[in-house]
Amino acid sequence: MTASFPFPPALPVTLAIVGSDQRFPVRRIYCIGRNYAEHAREMGVAGDAAAPVFFLKPGDSAVALPGPVRYPPATADLHHEVELVLALAAGGSDLDETQAGAAIFGHAIGLDLTRRDLQSAAKALRQPWDTGKSFEQAAPVGPIQPVAHGHYFDRGEISLEVNGQVRQRGDLAQMLLSPAQVIVALSRLYTLAPGDLVFTGTPAGVGPLQRGDTFSARIQGLAPVHGSIV
Ligand code: MN
């Protein structure tokens, strides 16, 4: 018997897959914080590979780039964090590094948008980060570039320009936990599944975005993605 609903159940946000007519359906969005030492320092903390910081964004906070991104409510300090995003086509718990690498379907470029004022207030009060990190369109993501089975990026330049000015620039090799190590650590906390996205942290240089800004995000080996704040 087919279930009936009082209203149509929500469909997942989907992302383009480079070279394919198929779409990638987004399930959960996992994020690691403080995965680049220099960014951890600019936030006034130390990065610690042995004690990674994780948080989640709702799956429906993903929004496909290129395109406009709405400036969220309740903030006067929306920050950009350009990040390598891993798109998973497999999952499970307690994965080893080989299994974690094999779970990666592809890479994308994403922005971990942050209401920094709300996050800072929450930190000061020792409250959760949710309102700072989780909101509508908090996770703009470009098209997913599939990778060969078991392969993933662990080096290469990552950068973000806002209105033509370089704001963030780093190298994926600076990550404290590699992509596979991030997935291993997540899989000890959560049961990962196909459709999950993993934001792998941001290099130094985070800063504010305003309505009307345009941005271009780049990761070596991926096509640049562009967007605007509206
Ligand atoms: Mn981040």
Side-chain angles (χ1 to χ4, degrees):
M1 181 175 153
T2 305
S4 73
F5 305 100
F7 49 83
L11 295 170
V13 173
T14 66
L15 301 171
I17 299 171
V18 177
S20 171
D21 292 333
Q22 294 186 318
R23 307 276 304 178
F24 184 91
V26 177
R27 194 181 83 113
R28 295 180 185 164
I29 302 174
Y30 295 102
C31 306
I32 184 169
R34 305 170 184 171
N35 200 30
Y36 290 73
E38 203 182 333
H39 168 64
R41 278 195 292 277
E42 77 180 347
M43 300 306 292
V45 292
D48 182 354
V53 176
F54 293 111
F55 55 93
L56 284 83
K57 294 173 185 259
D60 68 357
S61 70
V63 56
L65 294 176
V69 178
R70 287 196 302 274
Y71 195 96
T75 184
D77 197 22
L78 179 69
H79 270 207
H80 53 74
E81 297 188 359
V82 65
E83 309 201 2
L84 171 69
V85 179
L86 312 172
L88 304 191
S93 301
D94 297 320
L95 303 181
D96 63 29
E97 276 197 41
T98 302
Q99 293 168 321
I104 299 172
F105 171 80
H107 297 114
I109 306 173
L111 293 184
D112 166 15
L113 291 180
T114 302
R115 293 192 282 209
R116 192 72 74 199
D117 41 3
L118 298 191
Q119 186 200 27
S120 298
K123 283 182 181 176
L125 294 168
R126 298 185 162 213
Q127 291 177 351
W129 294 5
D130 296 55
T131 59
K133 289 290 193 179
S134 302
F135 48 89
E136 271 59 60
Q137 303 202 340
V141 189
I144 293 167
Q145 173 73 55
V147 285
H149 189 77
H151 289 255
Y152 54 86
F153 290 178
D154 57 5
R155 63 199 68 246
E157 187 170 276
I158 176 171
S159 66
L160 180 75
E161 289 179 14
V162 178
N163 303 327
Q165 304 289 318
V166 176
R167 292 275 191 89
Q168 295 190 256
R169 181 176 283 156
D171 196 286
L172 301 178
Q174 297 165 332
M175 287 195 275
L176 298 177
L177 270 65
S178 73
Q181 289 170 336
V182 172
I183 293 170
V184 166
L186 276 171
S187 77
R188 292 175 179 155
L189 293 164
Y190 304 98
T191 302
L192 304 177
D196 288 343
L197 298 180
V198 180
F199 280 63
T200 56
T202 196
V206 301
L209 290 165
Q210 316 289 347
R211 290 179 185 83
D213 283 348
T214 59
F215 59 84
S216 297
R218 292 180 173 79
I219 291 177
Q220 192 179 325
L222 299 178
V225 296
H226 309 285
S228 59
I229 305 297
V230 299

